[in-house]
Amino acid sequence: MSGYVKEKTYVTSPLLPELEDVYSEIRGIFASKWLTNMGEKHKELENKLKNELKVNNLSLFNNGTIALLTAIKALNLPQGSEVITTPFTFAATPHSIVWNGLKPIFCDIEPNTMTLDAQKIEELVTPNTSAILGVHVYGFPCNVEAIQKIANKYNLKVIYDAAHAFSTEIDGKGIGTFGDISAFSFHATKLFNTIEGGALSYNDSSLERKVYNLRNFGIRNEEVVEEVGINGKMNELQAAFGLLNLKIYRKEQEKRKKLKEFYDDKLEKIRGIRIPKIPKNVTNSYQYYPIIIEDDYPISRNEIYDRFKEENIFTRKYFYPACSDYDCYKNDLAVKLAHLPVTNDLKNKVLCLPYYGSLRKETAEYIVSRLQNEMN
Ligand SMILES: Cc1ncc(COP(=O)(O)O)c(C=O)c1O
């Protein structure tokens, strides 16, 4: 194919600010001699993100997993109680439930958005259920209205893993305003990154003190330790990196939007390839570009993955295996009995294509042409 240079191509490439700008930030931080513990950069990023994400309260964290662990902890759910969640997610989601001494109950997903199927949640509610934990997977929002209705009916807390949903909005409302608390990840692979990092957003301002304490060993002041906290603090270098990326992530989204339009236009015409559709009232985070390889495509998802890999193009089978297949969960009786037909079908069909602003046009064209000619 003309212009295509075979080079290692990954599913994403981190958003990087100008190196000179990073140097300048580092110089400032060196001069201040304040490296961590809620410094100036930390405060500035917290405020700016609150506006950017249109949320009422926001607390930064050193990574998304510690943020999610803390979100669950902050809600004081009864020990051993059950949390209904999706198996179609990254390991951090169910692990955070278990690290909190709670039990994940896997619920099946919707075929289009691949988020928790709200129709199937209610049948899993027991007297022991304390919360629902949904994941806005690939930035596709959960059915937040239906989930909240069920939560209200059974007096359950609602937690969202919004790791993929930076800047996603539903009807103009920030994704982090739904449910009781939402956890974001700012890992290097995420659209907006602080190298490693994360945040919690929540509506109830009274949670602020709890979250602050849990993030900082439970230390309130020099002489008072109020509770059993952890170290979840984001440092000044991470925060400064975030401030720089905050200025450029919209441009990156624009590029990804164009790439999505290109992929959509070409791939929608191929028999056996399905493109999940984001609802009209939702803004896309442009975090991932998943496609579904249906049974009528001539070769399987795994064959496509292997053939691209032979050509140094590293697509990802997000999310294969499903969490319900993990060695650490699969032998649990509730997991064995779980009815997960959609998850078990889609985990073998979904493939995330290389998706980032600086992906060369020729590479995108090559990927499309390989799928068009059925990888022959
Ligand atoms: C759905 C989901 N939840 C949680 C996390 C954990 O975030 P972090 O890597 O920042 O700890 C990730 C990704 O990395 C994720 O994809």
Side-chain angles (χ1 to χ4, degrees):
M1 175 132 212
S2 72
Y4 172 62
V5 186
K6 281 197 176 172
E7 58 188 0
K8 276 196 172 172
T9 302
Y10 298 101
V11 75
T12 194
S13 175
L15 182 63
L16 293 172
E18 290 295 328
L19 198 49
E20 284 311 315
D21 294 339
V22 178
Y23 286 150
S24 161
E25 287 291 341
I26 293 175
R27 270 188 217 104
I29 292 167
F30 270 51
S32 77
K33 296 196 165 62
W34 193 290
L35 301 184
T36 186
N37 287 14
M38 286 67 88
E40 284 307 312
K41 299 289 167 191
H42 185 282
K43 279 183 215 150
E44 192 181 338
L45 184 61
E46 231 168 41
N47 282 330
K48 289 205 162 136
L49 281 177
K50 205 156 60 166
N51 289 333
E52 194 70 25
L53 297 175
K54 299 190 182 168
V55 295
N56 303 313
N57 300 282
L58 184 131
S59 308
L60 290 173
F61 276 81
N62 49 4
N63 64 60
T65 305
I66 297 285
L68 189 55
L69 273 174
T70 306
I72 301 168
K73 191 87 181 162
L75 297 178
N76 276 327
L77 304 174
Q79 277 299 293
S81 63
E82 295 170 359
V83 178
I84 297 171
T85 193
T86 168
F88 198 74
T89 180
F90 183 63
T93 316
H95 289 358
S96 298
I97 296 172
V98 175
W99 269 51
N100 268 289
L102 306 166
K103 190 172 166 60
I105 299 292
F106 292 121
C107 176
D108 210 7
I109 57 170
E110 289 180 5
N112 178 50
T113 64
M114 296 177 268
T115 60
L116 264 185
D117 187 341
Q119 309 272 358
K120 295 182 181 161
I121 293 176
E122 215 166 338
E123 63 202 55
L124 298 174
V125 175
T126 72
N128 210 14
T129 307
S130 59
I132 301 168
L133 198 172
V135 180
H136 306 305
V137 69
Y138 314 117
F140 297 153
C142 294
N143 188 343
V144 290
E145 228 174 274
I147 288 175
Q148 195 59 55
K149 259 195 197 152
I150 298 167
N152 294 346
K153 183 167 169 189
Y154 295 97
N155 197 21
L156 307 175
K157 297 287 184 193
V158 179
I159 304 149
Y160 285 116
D161 180 336
H164 301 173
F166 189 85
S167 85
T168 292
E169 293 176 12
I170 306 176
D171 290 323
K173 287 179 77 179
I175 193 78
T177 60
F178 296 96
D180 291 283
I181 194 159
S182 299
F184 292 87
S185 164
F186 306 149
H187 181 257
T189 52
K190 301 299 184 289
L191 165 77
F192 168 80
N193 83 84
T194 57
I195 306 172
E196 292 270 5
L200 288 183
S201 67
Y202 39 96
N203 295 325
D204 178 0
S205 303
S206 70
L207 272 178
E208 203 262 334
R209 184 183 180 101
K210 181 89 181 167
V211 168
Y212 181 98
N213 283 351
L214 289 176
R215 184 179 64 182
N216 188 35
F217 314 98
I219 296 174
R220 197 66 215 169
N221 62 44
E222 277 182 47
E223 299 188 1
V224 178
V225 180
E226 278 186 348
E227 48 200 316
V228 187
I230 199 166
N231 182 357
K233 291 174 278 112
M234 177 181 278
N235 68 50
E236 288 292 275
L237 288 166
Q238 286 173 290
F241 203 86
L243 285 167
L244 294 174
N245 270 346
L246 201 51
K247 293 184 197 160
I248 58 172
Y249 90 93
R250 289 278 179 199
K251 249 190 213 154
E252 169 69 14
Q253 275 184 322
E254 273 307 307
K255 290 182 191 160
R256 290 186 189 196
K257 182 168 180 267
K258 290 211 174 84
L259 180 56
K260 176 172 167 47
E261 283 162 4
F262 171 76
Y263 274 152
D264 282 356
D265 179 53
K266 306 286 181 205
L267 300 180
E268 262 164 4
K269 296 179 186 127
I270 303 176
R271 191 166 57 91
I273 294 186
R274 177 163 71 84
I275 321 279
K277 294 268 180 294
I278 196 153
K280 286 221 158 45
N281 60 339
V282 168
T283 60
N284 199 330
S285 65
Y286 301 103
Q287 172 62 50
Y288 287 113
Y289 190 86
I291 59 172
I292 314 294
I293 310 301
E294 300 285 13
D295 292 334
D296 52 349
Y297 192 78
I299 61 170
S300 70
R301 186 278 311 270
N302 285 353
E303 286 169 303
I304 297 176
Y305 170 88
D306 289 340
R307 290 193 200 172
F308 271 137
K309 196 169 166 186
E310 281 160 20
E311 300 181 65
N312 267 343
I313 295 171
F314 300 92
T315 59
R316 292 300 297 259
K317 303 177 195 176
Y318 288 144
F319 284 95
Y320 176 87
C323 300
S324 40
D325 299 328
Y326 293 177
D327 286 351
C328 51
Y329 295 126
K330 69 181 183 194
N331 293 321
D332 181 86
L333 187 59
V335 177
K336 278 188 176 167
L337 295 175
H339 187 55
L340 306 168
V342 181
T343 303
N344 287 330
D345 183 43
L346 289 181
K347 73 183 183 194
N348 294 316
K349 292 182 171 173
V350 69
L351 191 69
C352 286
L353 298 183
Y355 191 53
Y356 48 92
S358 59
L359 183 72
R360 286 156 46 86
K361 189 163 175 281
E362 293 78 10
T363 308
E365 282 169 353
Y366 182 75
I367 289 168
V368 161
S369 75
R370 297 291 286 121
L371 289 166
Q372 281 169 333
N373 74 17
E374 298 164 352
M375 311 295 290
N376 290 317

